[in-house]
Amino acid sequence: MVHIASVAADSPAARAGIRAGDALISINSHPVRDVLDYRFFITEKKVALALCRDGEQFEVTLKKREYDDVGLEFDTYLMDAKQSCRNKCIFCFIDQNPKGMRESVYFKDDDTRLSFLMGNYVTLTNVGFDELDRIKKMHISPVNVSVHTTDPELRVKMLNNRFAGDIMEKLSYLADGGISLNCQLVLCRGINDGAALDKTLDDLFSLRHAVDSVAAVPAGLTSHREGLFPLEAYDKNSARKVIDQVSRFQERALRESGTRFAFCSDEFYILAGLPVPDGDFYEGYPQLDNGVGTIALMESEVKDELGEELPPVTVSATVFCGMAAKDYVADWVRRIAAKAGGTAPVEVIPVENRFFGSSVTVSGLLTGSDIVEAARGIKLNDRVFLPSKMLRSEGDLFLDDMSRTELEKKLGRPLVFTDTAKELAEALTAQ
Ligand code: SF4
């Protein structure tokens, strides 16, 4: 039974007399527990809704076009409490947040429904085979899975969860039901790389009829790891080893199935001091959310922009970015500014992450206070450019809770947020 928060005016539900405060019990006799049930069963052209008002049950039948919205709104997106995770992964980034941040920062979500609806990665440790049946029946696909390793004992140890060992059974079960899968491997140096990584890649490759792609990313280690499992960061040599190992696998996968199948994230190439591969290598960029191919994609977008007519740069800018991509960002900005012409200076400033620690080098994890610190003692140009991914999804706050307005005030300059090369070129050359 799900509480109805509001009913859109003049919607089929409103016309049928459904009111805010009513509870939805079932659709066409199928009980509704959450957003998955609701979305699946409400698509029919004719839906009989069983409802409850003040303890009295009643039923209404709505006729509509398939997939049309009936106008019901619920308290939360999931129509149910968010499922928190039951793991205690040795590399969990949430455990490595500094103390004293807003409570929601420490919430560990591992809700399979968010994977289905929003593409979040989930470990499948808190879902049973009955829930997997629901996925198969509703044909929710793809499912994004944080696998990390397919070795049962090692996965139990890495996730600190004695129920984590059956990942291959679960993946096979979904694969047999025609569900596509994308997999993520967070690699911890000396733990699930080496022979364990070979096994994981082989196991996942055996499910290649269902597994679309695999991303290998290095575990992010902040300087707030007191009392946590001792982990060693990847350095140049160990990152190269991983790239070599995955490259050998890719050659075999290409020969046997025409796809590279597994990809290392950009961060591995940067750590290894190697250039990232070209865009073609990434076969349509299936793993951008894991930082796989983002640099190659941006490079190809920059090339597209350089083929366009660009107005001259007339307002000066200071562009801040993380340490990892600093050379790439400086190169993109330089080429765009050179193509556009104009006399206003554009400067790129790499920013050290003091909030999480200097080993965290990606732009998306920089905070407002990091930018303030980096700007100390330098003369800022007329506008300040920042990567959009520094802001949380609502677009209002940095990870340290500083607001956009607060940072703007502290810097005394307007902030410009960009994501794609097009946005960067347009913003740099805006008159
Ligand atoms: S699944 Fe692991 S990494 Fe993800 S939130 Fe839970 S403990 Fe952290």
Side-chain angles (χ1 to χ4, degrees):
M1 192 147 75
V2 188
H3 177 255
I4 296 169
S6 62
V7 181
D10 207 26
S11 62
R15 286 196 293 273
I18 302 174
R19 295 191 218 139
D22 292 345
L24 175 62
I25 301 167
S26 66
I27 301 172
N28 293 339
S29 304
H30 302 288
V32 176
R33 288 165 290 172
D34 62 12
V35 65
L36 290 189
D37 288 335
Y38 179 72
R39 289 229 188 152
F40 187 68
F41 296 122
I42 204 71
T43 54
E44 300 289 316
K45 287 183 188 159
K46 187 176 170 192
V47 282
L49 308 185
L51 298 132
C52 181
R53 180 181 299 159
D54 303 327
E56 297 287 323
Q57 282 200 19
F58 64 104
E59 191 170 307
V60 298
T61 301
L62 306 177
K63 287 187 184 160
K64 61 181 186 60
R65 281 177 307 188
E66 206 176 355
Y67 302 112
D68 266 8
D69 184 25
V70 298
L72 297 181
E73 307 277 341
F74 301 92
D75 291 330
T76 61
Y77 175 73
L78 286 171
M79 300 166 58
D80 189 15
K82 214 191 247 188
Q83 288 165 3
S84 63
C85 101
R86 296 197 193 141
N87 312 315
K88 192 155 185 357
C89 300
I90 57 174
F91 53 84
C92 181
F93 198 84
I94 293 171
D95 289 339
Q96 305 177 63
N97 273 312
K99 299 202 168 48
M101 295 169 73
R102 86 187 99 90
E103 214 173 291
S104 61
V105 166
Y106 304 101
F107 181 76
K108 296 182 175 186
D109 107 55
D110 193 22
D111 197 313
T112 30
R113 297 163 305 179
L114 289 175
S115 170
F116 314 143
L117 299 167
M118 304 174 85
N120 296 16
Y121 274 79
V122 286
T123 61
L124 298 181
T125 52
N126 57 3
V127 288
F129 284 84
D130 53 337
E131 184 70 357
L132 299 186
D133 271 335
R134 188 159 75 125
I135 298 169
K136 280 163 57 165
K137 187 169 146 208
M138 295 182 177
H139 200 79
I140 297 165
S141 184
V143 175
N144 295 335
V145 186
S146 295
V147 173
H148 311 316
T149 179
T150 54
D151 179 306
E153 262 178 55
L154 182 57
R155 194 165 193 263
V156 164
K157 182 178 150 192
M158 287 186 75
L159 273 62
N160 259 311
N161 182 337
R162 66 192 169 93
F163 300 109
D166 60 356
I167 188 64
M168 276 307 283
E169 284 88 330
K170 285 182 172 162
L171 294 178
S172 306
Y173 195 72
L174 290 173
D176 291 346
I179 305 297
S180 300
L181 303 158
N182 293 303
C183 300
Q184 176 201 56
L185 315 174
V186 173
L187 295 188
C188 297
R189 186 173 166 186
I191 293 179
N192 58 337
D193 51 12
L197 177 57
D198 283 337
K199 174 178 165 47
T200 301
L201 293 174
D202 285 348
D203 285 346
L204 296 179
F205 196 53
S206 72
L207 298 178
R208 60 185 172 279
H209 56 288
V211 175
D212 288 338
S213 62
V214 178
V217 305
L221 304 182
T222 78
S223 50
H224 308 279
R225 291 197 52 82
E226 307 80 30
L228 299 178
F229 189 94
L231 288 177
E232 204 179 353
Y234 279 98
D235 59 11
K236 190 171 170 175
N237 284 336
S238 50
R240 281 191 181 199
K241 268 192 192 162
V242 172
I243 291 173
D244 287 346
Q245 186 178 358
V246 174
S247 301
R248 285 194 297 278
F249 169 82
Q250 287 170 332
E251 283 166 24
R252 191 191 116 207
L254 257 183
R255 264 197 322 274
E256 293 179 17
S257 67
T259 164
R260 288 178 181 82
F261 188 75
F263 302 88
C264 288
S265 67
D266 295 356
E267 208 182 339
F268 264 123
Y269 289 91
I270 289 168
L271 284 166
L274 295 171
V276 298
D278 290 340
D280 289 348
F281 179 89
Y282 293 103
E283 304 175 8
Y285 303 103
Q287 287 278 1
L288 282 174
D289 286 349
N290 276 313
V292 174
T294 48
I295 290 175
L297 178 63
M298 185 75 173
E299 173 60 31
S300 85
E301 288 177 357
V302 167
K303 280 187 183 142
D304 289 346
E305 288 311 303
L306 295 177
E308 301 288 322
E309 279 305 311
L310 296 174
V313 181
T314 54
V315 187
S316 68
T318 301
V319 179
F320 287 104
C321 67
M323 300 301 279
K326 64 181 180 4
D327 296 338
Y328 290 101
V329 176
D331 183 52
W332 296 326
V333 166
R334 180 191 57 73
R335 283 153 65 204
I336 291 170
K339 163 79 201 253
T343 50
V346 180
E347 190 184 16
V348 174
I349 307 281
V351 181
E352 188 178 322
N353 197 320
R354 292 167 190 256
F355 191 79
F356 289 111
S358 57
S359 57
V360 175
T361 56
V362 293
S363 299
L365 291 173
L366 287 173
T367 63
S369 55
D370 291 323
I371 302 298
V372 172
E373 205 49 49
R376 210 178 288 282
I378 65 168
K379 186 175 176 321
L380 292 173
N381 287 326
D382 293 333
R383 292 170 303 162
V384 165
F385 279 55
L386 296 170
S388 313
K389 48 175 100 73
M390 277 181 68
L391 293 169
R392 66 175 189 160
S393 53
E394 288 84 346
D396 53 348
L397 290 179
F398 294 93
L399 286 170
D400 58 355
D401 279 354
M402 191 182 288
S403 72
R404 293 170 66 146
T405 331
E406 206 181 336
L407 181 61
E408 213 149 31
K409 261 195 209 147
K410 283 184 196 276
L411 298 180
R413 298 286 187 279
L415 303 181
V416 181
F417 290 88
T418 65
D419 185 19
T420 62
K422 193 171 182 53
E423 286 171 10
L424 179 66
E426 282 177 359
L428 278 174
T429 57
Q431 306 291 301

